[in-house]
Amino acid sequence: MHEQFQIDNIPVTVRRNARARRMTLRVARAGGAVVLTLPMRATLQAGREFAASKADWLRRTVSAMPEPKLVVEGARLPIAGQEVLLRAMPLKSVRLEDGVLYVPSRGAVAVTVQAWLKHRAHIALREAVDRFATRLGRQPSALSLRDTRSRWGSCTHDGRLMFSWRLAMAPPKVLEYVAAHEVAHLAHMDHSERFWAQVEVLMPGHAPYRNWLRTHGADLQAWRFKSASAPVGS
């Protein structure tokens, strides 16, 4: 069980990581949980002092986190960067028409919407990755989707790409930026100047889309697709 303490009544969970070289304090995009990562040799007291030194930043960040939003009938949620109205109807399949997302009323509506978003994300990311990988001259070994909390995408040393399916809610150019970012890692497994130069080659003028995620990413993470009656795996 992880150790915990509080900073200004904000719970902080302590996690020790053998690979960590320094202490880090992060606020999760989903739910606003605060996690302090410590190297194995660091003392808990040192961790407390480090977290306390970041108290002002911690208060601002936690207070700025958006309130959770439920995917229910009548909700207005973003699809490809556009707000749409969710309507549950006696239909056989999901349909998006004129700013309205019609969802079959049978079963759990949120679960159906989540599956539909995953499908859209996979199609869009597969197309974008194929296009950027062809331009780069390197192909990934696999592509998968998850409901990640700390990153929008990742690339392993053996070329496996992973993306958050919540990118289906972001503007299409933002999704493409994340695809270009991870494809660029097939050539440079770091965030060096060469890496960012490669991202720019793949997607010129990508900076606004990167900034969009920094500004609005927490809003996408605030949407809740799970319910007590119908739990959904990520």
Side-chain angles (χ1 to χ4, degrees), residues 136 138 184-185 187-201:
L136 182 66
R138 302 193 184 196
H185 277 311
H188 305 287
M189 284 298 295
D190 53 32
H191 287 101
S192 63
E193 290 184 5
R194 290 192 306 164
F195 165 79
W196 287 112
Q198 184 65 72
V199 176
E200 183 65 19
V201 168

Side-chain angles (χ1 to χ4, degrees), residues 5-12 58-59:
F5 59 86
Q6 291 191 350
I7 298 293
D8 290 350
N9 295 320
I10 299 173
V12 178
L58 190 58
R59 283 194 300 271

Side-chain angles (χ1 to χ4, degrees), residues 114-135:
Q114 179 178 358
W116 183 79
L117 285 171
K118 285 183 177 180
H119 180 66
R120 280 180 64 98
H122 189 272
I123 292 175
L125 285 163
R126 180 78 271 174
E127 188 280 330
V129 166
D130 286 348
R131 175 160 36 89
F132 291 130
T134 297
R135 193 175 303 172

Side-chain angles (χ1 to χ4, degrees), residues 127-167:
E127 188 280 330
V129 166
D130 286 348
R131 175 160 36 89
F132 291 130
T134 297
R135 193 175 303 172
L136 182 66
R138 302 193 184 196
Q139 294 296 323
S141 58
L143 186 155
S144 63
L145 301 182
R146 293 178 59 190
D147 193 8
T148 52
R149 294 294 186 262
S150 61
R151 58 181 65 184
W152 295 102
S154 64
C155 175
T156 63
H157 285 278
D158 58 353
R160 289 180 288 118
L161 303 185
M162 183 281 299
F163 297 96
S164 168
W165 54 261
R166 289 176 185 261
L167 287 168

Side-chain angles (χ1 to χ4, degrees), residues 47-155:
R48 286 177 179 269
E49 293 173 358
F50 174 75
S53 72
K54 306 293 184 181
D56 289 344
W57 171 84
L58 190 58
R59 283 194 300 271
R60 292 196 306 270
T61 303
V62 171
S63 63
M65 296 297 292
E67 292 294 324
K69 303 173 186 177
L70 299 179
V71 179
V72 295
E73 160 72 21
R76 291 185 175 275
L77 69 158
I79 304 295
Q82 300 296 317
E83 187 178 82
V84 302
L85 176 65
L86 179 59
R87 286 298 186 201
M89 304 284 286
L91 305 170
K92 292 184 178 180
S93 60
V94 179
R95 192 168 72 241
L96 178 61
E97 291 182 357
D98 300 324
V100 180
L101 184 66
Y102 297 100
V103 181
S105 53
R106 67 181 186 280
V109 170
V111 175
T112 302
V113 174
Q114 179 178 358
W116 183 79
L117 285 171
K118 285 183 177 180
H119 180 66
R120 280 180 64 98
H122 189 272
I123 292 175
L125 285 163
R126 180 78 271 174
E127 188 280 330
V129 166
D130 286 348
R131 175 160 36 89
F132 291 130
T134 297
R135 193 175 303 172
L136 182 66
R138 302 193 184 196
Q139 294 296 323
S141 58
L143 186 155
S144 63
L145 301 182
R146 293 178 59 190
D147 193 8
T148 52
R149 294 294 186 262
S150 61
R151 58 181 65 184
W152 295 102
S154 64
C155 175

